[in-house]
Amino acid sequence: MLDLTKATDGHVHTIALTGELDHASTPRLHEELARLRLSAGDRLVLDLAELSFCDSSGLTALLAAHEISLGAGAALELATPPALLVRILRTTGLTEVFTVRDADRDRARAEVRSRR
Amino acid sequence: MCAAGTGLGDSEESNEDGDPTVRDSRTVFSSLLEDDTEELYDNAPCGYLSTLMDGEIAKVNDTLLGWLGIRREELVGVRRFADLLTGGGKLYHETHYAPMLRMHGQVRELALDLVAADGRRLPVLVTAKVKTGQEGQPLLVRITVFDARERRAYERELLAAKRKAEEERARLERLTGTLQRTLLPDALPVIDGVDLAAHYHVASSDQVGGDFYDVFPLGGDRWGFFLGDVCGKGPEAAVLTSLTRYALRAAAVNDADPVAVLTTLNTVMLHQRRPGAPRFCTVIFGVLEPDRDGLTVTLAGGGHPPPLVLRRDGEVSPLPTPGGQLVGVLPGARFTAATTRLRPGDVLVLYTDGLTEARRADGTMLEEEGLAEAAVAMTGENADGVVGSLVRLLTDWSRSPSDDTAILAIGNPVTAAAALQEAGCST
């Protein structure tokens, strides 16, 4: 099961992934990525906070997103990847290839702290 | 003015009985309504019969007599319902039909074969209900018999289609198995001074797995080995596995330096890539150099989980190749090498993530930490023993592993001479 939610706000394109990115569901993310119209200077954000599983097939979609962004002169960000994906990125030597942002999680934590 | 007579009561004039056309159609309609029930009973589009509680036929309609080609007087008061059935049907009647009728007062849609006078079999569906008297005492059994020839033919077609699908599936599994074997070594080579063992598990029998391994000669008492995992499953993964295996073996002939071999593989795979559909593998490639008192292993990792070194003395540690990147996607991918020396009794274990991602029913994963912990108990075993223990660990963790798994263990065997030497040292 994978839910994809798309949003475009000016130059920022966001795809939020909820569920499992595996052999069965990855083609749908590939389709969404192929449909994107990215311009130079745009930002593509893959929101991974609700991603519960990712295997090697899923990784091909993230690599495709990287390739598409690079080709268009856009910047790709992986937002709040789960620990499982962070481990995969580390094992496959891709930590430096992707820009990983945990800003939202940090902000949420900061807010929780400031309320105390 | 009117096209009256085509229907009933569709104009003012048609309400007058004086209109001859209206009278005609009404006559037809009322003759339909006055169809006498006896006539309907006899010529209904299904067979009817009634029997006494002991099965003796008391009444039967013309339809059924026509199907059977039997005259009424040959049946009524002479034969029982079971007499109309085939041998198997009679048995079924005794064991199921009659008891069900007694217990529930009815049976529904039983598939039976009647035997006609000329010996033909008539596939029918039988529904029967017991008629009871005012005190609830059973009086007789009413039976309807439906012609099921079409339906039975349809069922036969379904069965034939199912059998065909099963045959196709078996054929696919044989084909997949054959293809799978071409992607793995027939048998591991026998190497003096090296102890080898492997395990390979494909999660689904109709999909070629994406894991691979091999051990092969490089000449001059040096041996190459690799183990890896291509992304995806099925035919595309098989193509990529095939490409990877041959590229690795060919590259190693030219220059067996592990970093150089992975760099060549990366170049070959990049040449094969299709835009928008990245395909990659993660792999460890290495070289074995046995010598008089040990075994030197040099390897490079391309985005693959680090192998584990099981020392004979009980120590377990990963052999990382930090920063090594997956192969086939990034131009100029970085690979790093690592070296270790295996003394007698030490075993190096390479594996794919099917092992570390084994999940228990509650969802917890074995993971690299869990594997390293469990491996402590396996130190001191030979390569075969370690692989056996790892397979047991895998099946302990997940009863039916959902991911492909490959394991390759490379050990330096404890020879009699080494054991003697050790014994000598310790005294």
Side-chain angles (χ1 to χ4, degrees):
Chain A
M1 275 293 290
L2 176 71
D3 272 333
L4 299 176
T5 315
K6 283 202 305 180
T8 303
D9 182 7
H11 293 285
V12 184
H13 308 260
T14 307
I15 303 177
L17 286 70
T18 305
E20 304 192 341
L21 195 53
D22 59 13
H23 189 63
S25 64
T26 297
R28 288 185 29 235
L29 180 55
H30 275 292
E31 280 166 28
E32 286 298 341
L33 292 169
R35 239 177 263 149
L36 282 175
R37 295 286 164 262
L38 295 178
S39 309
D42 282 3
R43 256 172 66 201
L44 170 59
V45 180
L46 296 184
D47 183 346
L48 306 172
E50 299 302 322
L51 184 69
S52 57
F53 179 80
C54 180
D55 66 3
S56 66
S57 303
L59 196 52
T60 65
L62 302 188
L63 288 163
H66 172 70
E67 187 181 292
I68 290 165
S69 311
L70 208 64
L76 170 68
E77 284 172 16
L78 305 186
T80 54
L84 171 102
L85 183 60
V86 172
R87 193 169 54 232
I88 292 175
L89 294 180
R90 204 185 310 128
T91 306
T92 50
L94 295 176
T95 313
E96 299 152 41
V97 173
F98 289 106
T99 306
V100 176
R101 283 174 70 97
D102 255 330
D104 294 344
R105 193 173 290 174
D106 294 345
R107 197 181 311 128
R109 281 202 199 106
E111 272 173 30
V112 170
R113 248 179 256 124
S114 68
R115 279 195 215 124
R116 278 178 187 162
Chain B
M1 108 188 223
C2 60
T6 53
L8 292 172
D10 59 352
S11 72
E12 280 177 33
E13 282 93 337
S14 68
N15 278 336
E16 293 172 22
D17 285 346
D19 187 330
T21 51
V22 169
R23 206 168 39 233
D24 278 1
S25 61
R26 283 195 174 175
T27 312
V28 171
F29 189 64
S30 60
S31 77
L32 281 173
L33 290 175
E34 287 162 14
D35 188 9
D36 80 88
T37 45
E38 202 56 38
E39 208 275 334
L40 174 63
Y41 176 84
D42 267 328
N43 297 301
C46 61
Y48 285 124
L49 73 162
S50 305
T51 71
L52 304 180
M53 292 313 294
D54 67 357
E56 184 186 310
I57 296 171
K59 197 177 177 191
V60 57
N61 76 343
D62 288 347
T63 305
L64 187 58
L65 289 171
W67 288 351
L68 294 169
I70 301 177
R71 282 176 297 124
R72 183 168 273 110
E73 52 270 29
E74 290 176 88
L75 288 185
V76 175
V78 182
R79 297 173 72 183
R80 294 189 303 170
F81 176 61
D83 298 337
L84 302 176
L85 303 173
T86 56
K90 286 192 180 81
L91 202 61
Y92 189 80
H93 184 274
E94 285 306 308
T95 56
H96 291 79
Y97 177 99
M100 260 157 70
L101 206 54
R102 273 197 301 275
M103 278 172 64
H104 305 294
Q106 62 174 357
V107 297
R108 296 167 65 92
E109 295 193 26
L110 284 186
L112 292 167
D113 282 0
L114 301 184
V115 183
D118 60 5
R120 271 180 309 121
R121 286 170 164 231
L122 297 171
V124 293
L125 284 180
V126 172
T127 294
K129 199 167 184 343
V130 173
K131 183 195 177 186
T132 51
Q134 282 181 338
E135 275 93 51
Q137 78 280 20
L139 296 175
L140 52 88
V141 183
R142 287 167 168 162
I143 303 169
T144 54
V145 179
F146 290 96
D147 180 355
R149 274 172 297 187
E150 293 292 320
R151 179 177 162 142
R152 213 63 71 77
Y154 173 65
E155 284 170 357
R156 269 196 300 275
E157 277 170 36
L158 273 184
L159 273 177
K162 181 166 177 270
R163 207 163 28 239
K164 191 161 164 50
E166 279 164 2
E167 281 166 14
E168 288 297 317
R169 185 177 170 82
R171 207 171 67 83
L172 176 64
E173 284 182 5
R174 279 198 302 277
L175 191 67
T176 305
T178 307
L179 182 56
Q180 190 77 68
R181 281 193 296 280
T182 68
L183 298 176
L184 294 172
D186 285 341
L188 290 168
V190 178
I191 309 172
D192 204 18
V194 183
D195 176 23
L196 295 172
H199 168 76
Y200 193 87
H201 169 81
V202 190
S204 65
S205 56
D206 58 354
Q207 291 259 46
V208 178
D211 292 1
F212 58 90
Y213 66 86
D214 203 357
V215 182
F216 58 99
L218 289 170
D221 206 21
R222 291 200 312 162
W223 298 77
F225 66 91
F226 55 79
L227 175 140
D229 183 358
V230 303
C231 63
K233 279 176 189 289
E236 280 201 58
V239 169
L240 198 63
T241 304
S242 190
L243 174 76
T244 302
R245 274 173 53 86
Y246 292 108
L248 284 170
R249 289 186 73 139
V253 170
N254 204 27
D255 178 358
D257 171 63
V259 170
V261 168
L262 291 189
T263 305
T264 302
L265 175 65
N266 193 51
T267 308
V268 170
M269 288 178 70
L270 281 169
H271 287 163
Q272 286 277 323
R273 75 183 311 202
R274 283 180 296 143
R279 319 244 348 128
F280 64 84
C281 75
T282 68
V283 61
I284 289 171
F285 176 88
V287 175
L288 302 175
E289 291 174 89
D291 53 46
R292 277 193 311 117
D293 61 339
L295 179 59
T296 303
V297 182
T298 310
L299 53 81
H304 199 83
L308 283 180
V309 186
L310 279 60
R311 301 289 178 195
R312 190 187 182 189
D313 64 8
E315 188 200 321
V316 172
S317 57
L319 181 61
T321 51
Q325 293 179 309
L326 50 73
V327 189
V329 176
L330 308 168
R334 186 181 58 223
F335 306 113
T336 50
T339 298
T340 190
R341 201 165 156 70
L342 301 180
R343 303 213 156 268
D346 294 349
V347 176
L348 176 77
V349 177
L350 294 84
Y351 60 89
T352 57
D353 56 13
L355 179 58
T356 43
E357 286 177 7
R359 271 173 203 270
R360 283 205 166 125
D362 66 1
T364 52
M365 266 194 333
L366 177 61
E367 304 202 19
E368 287 177 32
E369 295 77 11
L371 174 64
E373 229 167 81
V376 172
M378 303 173 199
T379 56
E381 296 186 54
N382 65 8
D384 220 27
V386 171
V387 168
S389 298
L390 287 171
V391 171
R392 273 193 297 280
L393 178 70
L394 179 63
T395 44
D396 273 359
W397 270 74
S398 88
R399 293 264 161 245
S400 57
S402 60
D403 204 359
D404 301 341
T405 309
I407 302 169
L408 176 63
I410 301 169
N412 183 359
V414 183
T415 58
L420 267 179
Q421 194 181 3
E422 228 171 72
C425 286
S426 62
T427 51

